[in-house]
Amino acid sequence: MSLYLFSLSIFAFIYLLIYINWQKITGYIRRHKLLWMLPTAGDYHFLFGHLFIFWRYPPEEIFTRLRPWIRATAPVSVVFTPIVHIINVTEPEVVESLIGKMKNLNKNFLYTFLHRWLGDGLLTSKGPMWQKRRKILTPAFHFSILLQFVDVFNRETKNFNNLIERQYLNQPIDVMPIISDFTLATMSGKFKDDSNSQCKLLNGLETSMGTKVNLLTKTGLKYKSAIQELGNMIMKRSTTPWLWWQKLFDLSPLRKIEKKDLEVLHNFTTNIIVEKSRNFKTFDDHFDESVTKRKYPLMDILLNAKFRHKGIDDTAIRNEVDTFMFEGHDTVATCLGFTTMLFAVHSDFQREVYQEIVNILGTDLANKPTYANLQEMSLLERCIKESLRLYPPVPVMGRKTNDEISTKFGVIPKDVNVFIHLYDMHRNPDLWLNPDKFDPSRHLPENSQNRHTYAYIPFSAGPRNCIGQRFAMLEIKAFFCGLLRKFVLEPVDTPETLSLIQEIILRSQNGIRVKFTLRQ
């Protein structure tokens, strides 16, 4: 009798569990049924799925080896692993369904690797939290504020040119380290060139943080090093599937690296917030005619949201500043590096862009471009856009679906992780004629009017597009406006000699080498 009651109790408990979780169970079954009906991304092992793709090759080879594999599969295809199933997407119509509306705002599981660093910042936050932060931060990129950044961009470009002229003329150099320093300097607004000593490109972060911060101190150099090391660690984890599970990662040696770097990064930013908060005065943050009289840096807007509206705390402020520091300089530096190489390789376009700049500003280098001048430089803008097509700084974006999405390839289930491969979509021969060719005319209005809107999205698209894209384009145009008036760029590296790797952003493994000669 007791055995009967015990068995009955077990049965009742199992039944209760199934009843309570029935919706999850049926959802799980339907999700996997739909996944199996979608095209599969090439051959896979019956037990390990596609896991061999990740562990067979070292990280520096994965990017190159994945390209033909992705292009050989359907534009919507499933990657199976024992840990998580992933859907790869390279079809513009499907991309629009994924990111074009407010439904699928959440990033996928890989962005959780950034959470200990960036917390619930604009890059990683979800749903209502993201909407709240976006609303707070949008004024930092208002048109009237961007106008005032042009002087900063012009000044830092001049100082970059001075550095090249003093130290690097007529010799092959890897431009990425000094370009990365330049983009950090544009965020400072406090650059001073010392022509009698080694140029110091980093001595503050005033544009973004609203206070002068010296990045040439021991603490500042540790901060820059920690950003680079943490980025490498995150990419290593991304290509090691068994480390996707947080508990296994925390037992690995990478966790020690992460912990050390996070302490440096968070202490650095926290100290700035404390210092800036001491004498901070709130202001009216409604946009009217007065807003054009001064700019409010990112830090000021965040602190104003804290003290005036009680809408954000110190941790949230740190998350947003860390996010802007990460996204605001590294992605722009990547574009500047690849575009510099492309101008060097394509001397015909370099000459034409130089002539466009001269037609607008003249040959006197003392004439600095205004915001209006930069908007006139349409060929320069097309060249930048074409560089972003060929080398999107963020070559892959991730989302998690909140609802089922019907496509001509099948139904993408709810609650699955999706990767949108911008690099491959931007070089898809079905969308672009001679896709590997540098051809800025692709971006003429008459040549792009029949192209799908989501076939070209270097700054993402839809509600969760890049909040700083106008800031970035303005900085890039100002940089080349100054650089090409001063120097002729000669090729050393070419697209064929580069070895591309994907860390958090797209990089050339051995840098990007160019030669600068003074323009006569």
Side-chain angles (χ1 to χ4, degrees):
M1 187 67 178
S2 61
L3 180 61
Y4 172 77
L5 290 176
F6 177 76
S7 300
L8 186 62
S9 299
I10 294 295
F11 177 79
F13 178 72
I14 294 173
Y15 178 83
L16 182 62
L17 282 179
I18 293 174
Y19 179 79
I20 294 173
N21 294 284
W22 181 247
Q23 190 173 1
K24 292 183 179 179
I25 293 170
T26 55
Y28 177 87
I29 294 171
R30 175 170 174 78
R31 182 163 60 251
H32 280 72
K33 181 180 178 180
L34 292 174
L35 285 171
W36 282 107
M37 293 174 68
L38 287 168
T40 304
D43 297 331
Y44 61 96
H45 190 274
F46 77 97
L47 183 61
F48 298 109
H50 293 93
L51 199 62
F52 71 91
I53 294 171
F54 300 97
W55 71 28
R56 181 183 297 180
Y57 307 115
E60 60 271 16
E61 292 186 25
I62 288 178
F63 181 83
T64 302
R65 291 181 179 273
L66 280 182
R67 304 284 64 82
W69 183 76
I70 289 175
R71 292 172 186 176
T73 64
V76 175
S77 55
V78 183
V79 176
F80 293 104
T81 78
I83 305 167
V84 65
H85 299 331
I86 296 166
I87 295 179
N88 288 331
V89 175
T90 59
E91 166 64 46
E93 290 182 5
V94 181
V95 172
E96 182 177 17
S97 298
L98 283 165
I99 68 174
K101 300 177 182 178
M102 295 292 289
K103 280 188 176 181
N104 302 302
L105 288 178
N106 293 344
K107 301 297 182 74
N108 68 18
F109 75 101
L110 283 188
Y111 289 79
T112 62
F113 303 166
L114 293 165
H115 191 78
R116 283 172 170 164
W117 178 16
L118 305 179
D120 289 321
L122 197 61
L123 177 65
T124 53
S125 54
K126 299 179 180 180
M129 173 65 75
W130 171 82
Q131 291 174 294
K132 178 182 177 182
R133 294 290 174 81
R134 180 88 176 203
K135 184 177 180 180
I136 291 173
L137 293 172
T138 295
F141 301 94
H142 190 272
F143 164 77
S144 59
I145 293 176
L146 292 178
L147 284 173
Q148 301 174 67
F149 288 155
V150 176
D151 288 342
V152 175
F153 299 149
N154 288 337
R155 182 169 65 247
E156 305 311 325
T157 299
K158 178 182 177 181
N159 293 325
F160 180 89
N161 288 346
N162 290 343
L163 173 65
I164 295 293
E165 187 173 5
R166 284 198 313 275
Q167 298 188 30
Y168 299 117
L169 273 183
N170 304 315
Q171 57 181 303
I173 65 162
D174 176 11
V175 298
M176 290 312 302
I178 55 176
I179 281 180
S180 181
D181 284 353
F182 163 80
T183 57
L184 276 172
T186 61
M187 298 169 70
S188 73
K190 284 290 184 181
F191 181 94
K192 291 184 180 180
D193 176 47
D194 182 357
S195 299
N196 297 318
S197 64
Q198 184 176 0
C199 184
K200 298 181 178 180
L201 278 171
L202 298 175
N203 67 340
L205 296 176
E206 185 164 317
T207 301
S208 59
M209 296 193 184
T211 185
K212 186 176 178 181
V213 181
N214 193 337
L215 286 177
L216 288 172
T217 63
K218 183 178 180 180
T219 302
L221 293 173
K222 284 176 65 177
Y223 176 82
K224 291 195 298 174
S225 176
I227 288 179
Q228 182 66 45
E229 189 173 57
L230 191 62
N232 294 338
M233 182 281 299
I234 291 170
M235 196 56 220
K236 172 65 176 175
R237 183 182 181 186
S238 300
T239 56
T240 311
W242 47 91
L243 295 180
W244 295 350
W245 191 28
Q246 190 68 44
K247 291 184 179 179
L248 281 180
F249 170 78
D250 287 344
L251 295 173
S252 74
L254 293 181
R255 171 56 181 152
K256 294 181 179 180
I257 298 174
E258 180 189 58
K259 189 174 181 179
K260 172 178 66 70
D261 290 335
L262 289 179
E263 184 177 2
V264 172
L265 296 174
H266 287 164
N267 286 343
F268 184 86
T269 312
T270 298
N271 289 338
I272 294 169
I273 295 169
V274 170
E275 181 64 29
K276 178 67 176 177
S277 298
R278 286 175 182 165
N279 300 311
F280 182 77
K281 295 181 179 179
T282 61
F283 52 86
D284 183 1
D285 49 9
H286 293 290
F287 280 100
D288 52 31
E289 293 302 319
S290 65
V291 78
T292 62
K293 297 179 181 178
R294 62 161 298 184
K295 61 177 180 288
Y296 295 103
L298 180 71
M299 178 75 82
D300 287 46
I301 287 176
L302 291 169
L303 290 177
N304 205 55
K306 172 188 173 182
F307 292 117
R308 188 179 180 92
H309 306 294
K310 312 299 182 185
I312 197 169
D313 59 20
D314 286 344
T315 299
I317 292 173
R318 187 193 70 196
N319 292 339
E320 298 302 349
V321 172
D322 283 339
T323 297
F324 184 67
M325 284 294 297
F326 163 57
E327 290 197 288
H329 97 273
D330 228 5
T331 53
V332 174
T334 297
C335 177
L336 291 176
F338 284 117
T339 309
T340 299
M341 180 270 295
L342 288 169
F343 273 134
V345 170
H346 299 281
S347 58
D348 50 346
F349 285 109
Q350 183 182 166
R351 286 192 298 270
E352 291 178 34
V353 169
Y354 169 73
Q355 192 58 54
E356 175 182 69
I357 295 170
V358 169
N359 290 343
I360 295 170
L361 294 176
T363 57
D364 187 354
L365 296 181
N367 295 332
K368 303 301 180 185
T370 63
Y371 180 91
N373 293 148
L374 294 174
Q375 301 314 301
E376 292 183 65
M377 299 175 186
S378 56
L379 177 58
L380 173 58
E381 182 167 316
R382 292 196 298 274
C383 289
I384 296 167
K385 287 182 175 181
E386 181 67 349
S387 174
L388 287 167
R389 181 187 72 84
L390 290 169
Y391 302 102
V394 181
V396 179
M397 297 190 306
R399 293 289 173 91
K400 187 171 184 178
T401 56
N402 289 336
D403 207 349
E404 292 184 357
I405 300 172
S406 296
T407 78
K408 59 186 176 183
F409 306 96
V411 177
I412 298 176
K414 179 183 178 181
D415 294 328
V416 297
N417 294 283
V418 179
F419 284 106
I420 301 167
H421 293 268
L422 276 64
Y423 184 92
D424 301 282
M425 187 168 68
H426 286 182
R427 293 178 181 246
N428 185 344
D430 294 332
L431 302 172
W432 309 89
L433 183 65
N434 297 322
D436 295 327
K437 179 182 178 182
F438 179 75
D439 181 7
S441 69
R442 301 179 198 273
H443 306 282
L444 286 166
E446 59 269 27
N447 292 336
S448 51
Q449 60 183 356
N450 295 324
R451 187 181 303 131
H452 196 286
T453 306
Y454 283 72
Y456 174 76
I457 51 170
F459 294 105
S460 186
R464 199 157 183 168
N465 64 355
C466 175
I467 193 174
Q469 59 183 289
R470 289 194 299 171
F471 179 97
M473 282 298 293
L474 201 62
E475 178 178 354
I476 295 165
K477 291 176 80 171
F479 176 83
F480 284 110
C481 181
L483 189 74
L484 295 180
R485 294 170 76 197
K486 181 87 171 182
F487 303 106
V488 174
L489 311 180
E490 298 182 4
V492 179
D493 278 323
T494 68
E496 293 72 28
T497 65
L498 297 180
S499 177
L500 299 181
I501 57 173
Q502 183 182 331
E503 295 176 355
I504 299 178
I505 62 173
L506 185 66
R507 298 188 190 277
S508 172
Q509 184 177 6
N510 300 313
I512 299 175
R513 295 172 299 163
V514 175
K515 187 164 75 170
F516 297 85
T517 60
L518 280 173
R519 189 176 292 279
Q520 300 300 318

